[in-house]
Amino acid sequence: MPSGIENTFLTAAVGAFMIGMLGNGFIALVNCIDWVKHRKLSPADCILTSLAVSRIILLWMILFDLLVMVFWPHLYNIEKLATAVNICWTLTNHLATWFATCLSVFYFFRIANFSHRCFTWLRRRISRVLPVLPLGSLFLLVFNYKLLVGFSDLWATIYHNYERNSTRPLDVSKTGYLNSLVILSFIYLIPFLLSLTSLLLLFLSLMRHTRNMQLNSSSRDFSTEAHKRAMKMVISFLLLSTVHFFSIQLTGWIFLLLKKHHANLTVTLTSALFPSGHSFILIFGNSKLRQTALGLLWHLNSNMIVIVKLAGNKNIPESV
């Protein structure tokens, strides 16, 4: 039977899972319906849909991982199972990170305004250039394979120790685990730097545009608002991804020092917060998704009012 701490972790994970499925499922459903109606999707909608689908799969993997850790931890003594779970988790998390990075890059090319020939050339071919990023990033998964072997061996050892309720020191390679964390940091540094560069260039484009507007004595226009909205989206991604990355790294260090089962639960729960919360920022930052969500909420509120009124009328006794 799970302990009180494990029940707390499981309850929090299920809550994060439901929130993430609601947000990402809404994004995927709205865009799929739009594709069925018009038989095409804009590049931004394609990226959003791919991001939502990858995060849905990631959330299912996180929930499965937590359920196994809480109810059947002995299964992770099987090295092949631990490796398979780590591969699926790493692949979906990797793709979700790069799809979010593609969205930041797309905002930059779509909204920023530079006269450089290279920028103009890339901007005209943005729909063909963007798929290169997630496909090219798959090359980095080759480095991740060695990480998976190191993580799987360590986790299998710890769960074997946990199953026997043993308190003896574990014979694991700290150097190998530390090297894995360093390589993992380098792999996720690349999409972070791409998003940060997009943000800085958007800010530079906004400053130039604002200066031109002041010289022309013009009032605030739609381009300024578009710059600010795009910057808010990229900043939210950078902040949340930074918190997400460092929290996982911190719990990874704690996991290495303590070598406890509960430390791994913390890592897994932390990894579910970013894909769950960021989906709602994407919804309210996208005009189509925001209008659909507000319309849906308005209809639900209207239906609830009608149901409450009907229930109230039934409770009123008929006059003789």
Side-chain angles (χ1 to χ4, degrees), residues 146-209:
K146 292 186 176 181
L147 304 184
L148 294 174
V149 174
F151 288 145
S152 299
D153 291 342
L154 179 59
W155 290 355
T157 304
I158 289 176
Y159 281 112
H160 182 66
N161 198 64
Y162 171 78
E163 184 186 11
R164 295 183 303 172
N165 292 322
S166 176
T167 57
R168 67 180 180 84
L170 297 176
D171 184 17
V172 295
S173 174
K174 288 186 178 182
T175 303
Y177 190 79
L178 288 175
N179 290 336
S180 300
L181 288 179
V182 171
I183 297 175
L184 187 65
S185 303
F186 173 75
I187 290 175
Y188 284 99
L189 182 64
I190 298 175
F192 177 83
L193 290 178
L194 282 174
S195 297
L196 182 60
T197 303
S198 300
L199 175 63
L200 295 176
L201 291 175
L202 272 171
F203 179 75
L204 178 61
S205 176
L206 176 60
M207 292 297 99
R208 292 180 59 184
H209 178 75

Side-chain angles (χ1 to χ4, degrees), residues 20-180:
M21 290 298 294
L22 179 63
N24 291 292
F26 177 80
I27 294 174
L29 181 61
V30 170
N31 286 327
C32 286
I33 292 175
D34 191 54
W35 178 79
V36 170
K37 288 182 178 179
H38 304 97
R39 292 297 177 182
K40 64 178 182 179
L41 283 177
S42 66
D45 289 338
C46 288
I47 298 173
L48 283 171
T49 305
S50 302
L51 176 60
V53 171
S54 62
R55 283 179 169 174
I56 288 172
I57 301 174
L58 175 61
L59 287 170
W60 276 110
M61 289 304 306
I62 291 173
L63 182 64
F64 172 79
D65 195 17
L66 270 169
L67 290 174
V68 172
M69 283 190 287
V70 171
F71 293 104
W72 310 285
H74 62 279
L75 292 179
Y76 276 143
N77 288 328
I78 306 174
E79 184 178 348
K80 291 184 178 179
L81 176 62
T83 303
V85 171
N86 285 329
I87 288 175
C88 293
W89 187 92
T90 302
L91 178 62
T92 52
N93 187 60
H94 180 88
L95 290 176
T97 301
W98 276 95
F99 282 132
T101 304
C102 287
L103 195 61
S104 301
V105 175
F106 174 79
Y107 286 145
F108 162 64
F109 280 106
R110 182 69 178 272
I111 296 171
N113 189 14
F114 293 99
S115 58
H116 197 278
R117 285 183 298 177
C118 183
F119 174 82
T120 305
W121 185 85
L122 288 172
R123 187 174 189 174
R124 292 174 180 174
R125 295 163 176 81
I126 188 63
S127 60
R128 285 177 287 177
V129 171
L130 279 180
V132 175
L133 287 178
L135 291 176
S137 71
L138 295 178
F139 173 75
L140 297 174
L141 287 176
V142 176
F143 297 98
N144 270 349
Y145 178 76
K146 292 186 176 181
L147 304 184
L148 294 174
V149 174
F151 288 145
S152 299
D153 291 342
L154 179 59
W155 290 355
T157 304
I158 289 176
Y159 281 112
H160 182 66
N161 198 64
Y162 171 78
E163 184 186 11
R164 295 183 303 172
N165 292 322
S166 176
T167 57
R168 67 180 180 84
L170 297 176
D171 184 17
V172 295
S173 174
K174 288 186 178 182
T175 303
Y177 190 79
L178 288 175
N179 290 336
S180 300

